[in-house]
Amino acid sequence: MAKKYEIDGADGLVFLDITATIEERKTFVELVRNIGKELSIPFTVGGGISTAEDVRKLLDAGADKISINSSAVKNPTLISDLAKEFGSQCVVVAIDTKFVNGDDWVHVKGGREITTLKTLEWAQKAEELGAGEILLTSMDGDGTKSGFDLRITQLISENINIPVIASGGAGTVKDFEDVFTLTSATGGLAASIFHFGEINISDLKKELKTKKIAIR
């Protein structure tokens, strides 16, 4: 699948072992190594990463960037420690957000557990600590195919100065058009629509270019 996505024109691949934290399992280093051998596009890996040693192993195995979520919430200095050691360009902070009781709250453990952190404040803090990118997943939209959550994506992307990748809810070409024209997100992430061939990446890019959207 990774090889296919590169051929189809994906700008990057994000591999998230989303139950690694809950199951206290380290991301599969060997799988990362095998995928990394097949790719020349940027490869981001996340799940169960909590130390510099974890990061070193994944980078050595072929990852270009690492994504941290629960571990960063638990220990925010991990962001600055990793940024200092490996560079901000390597550190992606993934934020799973859900709208609860009138506000946006950060969730951890694969979106299963609410925290006391407000999403915008945490995104700004992550940037301040040295994150190079935010992967923002709307848990309200995730899996629905009803479109990216434009409200929270715009709120975050217009209030921080690092790239924001929108995630959760992509179902159509129009959803990508909307996220790139109605928010300041720099990327759009999707899974099932690509996995099951509902949308082809090269066709999607051609369509977006006809809408005068600047993409690679």
Side-chain angles (χ1 to χ4, degrees):
M1 290 297 285
K3 212 169 180 179
K4 179 184 184 301
Y5 288 141
E6 174 157 19
I7 292 165
D8 286 349
D11 296 312
L13 186 74
V14 180
F15 173 56
L16 302 176
D17 187 350
I18 60 170
T19 59
T21 301
I22 302 156
E23 296 169 11
E24 297 182 348
R25 179 181 72 247
K26 298 299 183 187
T27 302
F28 299 125
V29 175
E30 278 311 305
L31 181 56
V32 169
R33 183 171 283 111
N34 291 334
I35 294 172
K37 284 177 191 166
E38 303 293 335
L39 294 177
S40 59
I41 55 174
F43 182 28
T44 302
V45 177
I49 297 168
S50 56
T51 67
E53 186 54 31
D54 293 338
V55 175
R56 196 170 289 107
K57 283 178 185 170
L58 291 166
L59 295 180
D60 287 345
D64 298 296
K65 304 178 187 181
I66 56 88
S67 170
I68 50 176
N69 184 344
S70 301
S71 59
V73 169
K74 191 175 175 183
N75 174 26
T77 58
L78 179 65
I79 301 171
S80 46
D81 290 346
L82 296 181
K84 279 174 195 159
E85 186 154 351
F86 303 103
S88 287
Q89 84 291 336
C90 174
V91 182
V92 178
V93 172
I95 300 177
D96 291 342
T97 180
K98 203 179 279 189
F99 192 72
V100 181
N101 296 329
D103 220 328
D104 301 294
W105 299 94
V106 175
H107 284 61
V108 292
K109 297 186 178 174
R112 291 167 172 78
E113 188 177 293
I114 193 168
T115 71
T116 57
L117 295 171
K118 290 188 178 180
T119 304
L120 177 57
E121 289 172 7
W122 176 234
Q124 290 170 327
K125 181 74 173 171
E127 177 183 18
E128 187 186 308
L129 288 167
E133 196 168 80
I134 298 292
L135 172 57
L136 182 71
T137 301
S138 165
M139 301 310 294
D140 298 305
D142 201 35
T144 64
K145 297 186 186 174
S146 59
F148 291 104
D149 189 331
L150 301 175
R151 181 196 60 80
I152 187 62
T153 303
Q154 176 61 354
L155 177 69
I156 302 305
S157 60
E158 72 177 357
N159 282 290
I160 61 175
N161 299 303
I162 54 177
V164 173
I165 300 172
S167 169
T172 66
V173 171
K174 179 75 163 55
D175 294 337
F176 284 89
E177 182 187 340
D178 288 346
V179 84
F180 292 139
T181 54
L182 301 176
T183 82
S184 301
T186 55
L189 181 146
S192 61
I193 56 168
F194 296 143
H195 295 336
F196 300 113
E198 294 165 39
I199 294 179
N200 175 274
I201 294 171
S202 54
D203 292 342
L204 169 62
K205 290 179 125 181
K206 281 176 196 161
E207 189 65 31
L208 292 175
K209 282 177 181 173
T210 67
K211 306 288 183 184
K212 308 289 188 239
I213 295 169
I215 55 169
R216 293 187 188 128

